[in-house]
Structures are given as C-alpha cells and as structure tokens.
C-alpha cells in the first residue's frame, strides 16, 4: 500500500510540472540577451595645449577660414580658422610677432554677430556693417608669457551700426571660463563650450558672424577677417566670418 501511495504522488508531481509554466532561466554571465547600447562618449577633436598637430586632421572643408588680405592695413593676424562640432567652437590663428613686440600685456577681442542679422547690433569700428551683439575682451599674453584667453563678455546696447566701445554692457566677467587658450611660436588656439554662451538677451544662432583682433597698448594691430585698403574702402573693412554650427 505504501508503494502504491508513493507512485501516485510521483505521477501527480509529473502532471503538475507538465501543466505549469516553465520556470524562467536565471540570467548569467553567458546570457546572450543584449543589454542597452552605452551612450557614446564625446572626445574633443582638438586639445587646447599649444600642440597644433590635431588641426591638421580637420578637413579644411569643415572649417571657416580667413586669410589676411594682401593690402590690409593691420596685418598682425595672418590667418584665422574656426571649427564647430556638437559641443565646442574651436578657434586657431597665426600672428606676426613683430606686430606685438611688447608681450607684457597683449590684449585681444572676439566678436559675435549672434543672430547673423546685419540689421541688428553695432560696433562698426573694424567691420562693415557693424552688426555685433557680443564682444569678448581678454589677454593673449601677460607678463611676457602666453596667457589662456578667458575673456569677459559684453552685449551691445547702442544704436544699430554705430561705432564706439562704450555701448557694451558686461554680461559675463573675466575668468568665467567662457574660453580656454594656449599657444606658442606665432600660433594660438582656443575653445569655447557652446552651452556656456549666454542665451540672453540674444542666443548664439545656428549660423553667426565672428571676428577677432589682437592689440598692442589697447590698439588693434591685427584684425581678422579683413580686406585690402582701397579708395572705396580706405580702412580695409570686411564683413565678419560666417560660422555655421554642426
């Protein structure tokens, strides 16, 4: 009788297992089921370290490039290159050492026509038309040594297309980390994190105008982009360089 009872229990157990759901396998190290793809890690194509070899790896067609005009009045900057990817704006320029003999304090500026609209902005001192919304002011040399360009940033509050420097109102102080820079041997590179650019009062558009100068004793000795001095354009003013975000 005992053997018969045990046989009945065994059959019942088999029936229960066969009628129930199969147990789910426990995931293990060899589980072939793929997990979610990891987020791609951003790697900057250019490192701001005074080594310019990484610029040679960027296709010229992907950069905005300006070269000094043959008969420009102020030739302290000889070439300007701008490259923008999804995260940064990278800037490279070459300068003439003879134009800045005193390197104890070498000033410089960057200029943005943030909305790429020639009917807004001002500061027509160095470009035509004057359609600049923002000016960054910093230093390329201090104490006879290369300085990391970390400028203040100011917004134009004056009349459209007017000249002058006093109509800029500071929106970011110097040292805010808007740019970083480095250079040597007549070359300089710098980078700006795009998301660090102020969105107010005018954001930096998908397409914007850009210019740069280098100064000795607060007077420009190099302006880029530029144009040749002619009878019709005695000051050699050009339009700003048009830059497109990636």
């Amino acid at each position: 009788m005992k053997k018969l009872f045990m046989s009945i229990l065994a059959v019942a157990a088999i029936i229960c297992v066969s009628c129930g759901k199969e147990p789910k396998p426990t995931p293990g190290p060899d589980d072939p089921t793929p997990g979610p793809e990891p987020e791609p890690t951003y790697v900057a194509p250019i490192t701001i370290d005074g080594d310019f070899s990484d610029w040679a790896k960027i296709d010229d067609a992907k950069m905005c490039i300006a070269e000094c005009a043959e008969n420009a009045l102020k030739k302290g900057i000889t070439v300007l290159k701008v490259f923008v990817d999804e995260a940064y704006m990278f800037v490279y320029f070459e300068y003439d050492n003879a134009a800045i003999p005193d390197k104890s304090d070498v000033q410089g500026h960057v200029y943005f026509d943030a909305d790429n609209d020639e009917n807004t902005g001002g500061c027509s001192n160095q470009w035509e038309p004057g359609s600049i919304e923002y000016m960054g002011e910093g230093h390329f040399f201090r104490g006879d040594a290369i300085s990391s360009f970390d400028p203040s940033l100011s917004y134009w509050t004056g009349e459209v297309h007017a000249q002058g420097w006093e109509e800029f109102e500071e929106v970011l102080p110097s040292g805010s980390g808007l740019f970083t820079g480095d250079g040597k041997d007549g070359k300089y590179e710098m980078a700006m994190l795009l998301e660090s650019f102020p969105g107010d009062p005018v954001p930096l558009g998908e397409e914007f105008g850009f210019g740069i100068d280098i100064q000795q004793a607060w007077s420009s000795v190099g302006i880029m982009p530029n144009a040749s001095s002619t009878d019709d354009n005695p000051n050699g003013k050009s339009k700003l360089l048009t830059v497109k975000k990636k």
Side-chain angles (χ1 to χ4, degrees):
M1 187 66 179
K2 185 176 180 180
K3 291 182 178 179
L4 178 60
F5 179 70
M6 294 299 292
S7 298
I8 292 172
L9 288 178
V11 171
I14 292 171
I15 292 173
C16 287
V17 171
S18 62
C19 292
K21 294 182 179 180
E22 294 184 4
K24 294 181 180 180
T26 302
D30 298 325
D31 187 354
T33 305
E37 290 291 330
E39 290 292 327
T41 301
Y42 173 80
V43 178
I46 294 170
T47 303
I48 306 302
D49 57 1
D51 178 356
F52 309 104
S53 59
D54 41 13
W55 281 91
K57 300 174 184 178
I58 307 297
D59 187 347
D60 281 359
K62 296 181 179 180
M63 293 190 284
C64 299
I65 301 174
E67 296 183 353
C68 186
E70 182 178 359
N71 293 316
L73 294 180
K74 299 177 181 181
K75 299 183 177 182
I77 299 176
T78 58
V79 66
L80 170 66
K81 298 181 180 181
V82 180
F83 173 68
V84 181
D85 69 3
E86 65 269 28
Y88 283 90
M89 172 184 176
F90 300 96
V91 179
Y92 166 92
F93 66 90
E94 297 178 6
Y95 57 90
D96 180 5
N97 270 305
I100 48 172
D102 179 5
K103 293 184 173 58
S104 62
D105 188 15
V106 177
Q107 311 86 30
H109 299 84
V110 290
Y111 303 83
F112 295 88
D113 176 0
D115 55 9
N116 199 40
D117 184 349
E118 293 185 351
N119 297 307
T120 62
C123 191
S124 61
N125 302 46
Q126 301 182 141
W127 291 278
E128 191 66 42
S131 55
I132 293 162
E133 274 83 35
Y134 293 95
M135 175 187 71
E137 181 176 271
H139 297 79
F140 296 124
F141 283 84
R142 280 185 182 274
D144 298 318
I146 285 282
S147 178
S148 179
F149 188 67
D150 191 1
S152 62
L153 190 71
S154 299
Y155 178 74
W156 178 260
T157 60
E159 295 182 5
V160 173
H161 297 165
Q163 291 194 15
W165 306 102
E166 293 78 18
E167 304 300 327
F168 281 105
E169 182 177 312
E170 187 175 281
V171 294
L172 281 179
S174 177
S176 296
L178 182 64
F179 274 89
T180 58
D182 200 356
K184 63 179 180 181
D185 302 331
K187 301 175 183 178
Y188 197 93
E189 61 182 353
M190 51 191 185
M192 180 187 77
L193 185 65
L194 292 173
E195 66 179 19
S196 69
F197 196 92
D200 184 59
V202 179
L204 193 63
E206 292 302 309
E207 191 169 292
F208 57 91
F210 181 74
I212 187 172
D213 67 28
I214 191 168
Q215 297 190 336
Q216 185 80 98
W218 297 103
S219 180
S220 294
V221 294
I223 300 169
M224 190 65 71
N226 58 28
S228 290
S229 175
T230 64
D231 291 340
D232 294 331
N233 185 15
N235 292 319
K237 291 183 180 181
S238 76
K239 292 185 177 182
L240 293 167
L241 190 67
T242 300
V243 178
K244 294 181 180 180
K245 291 182 181 177
K246 183 175 180 180

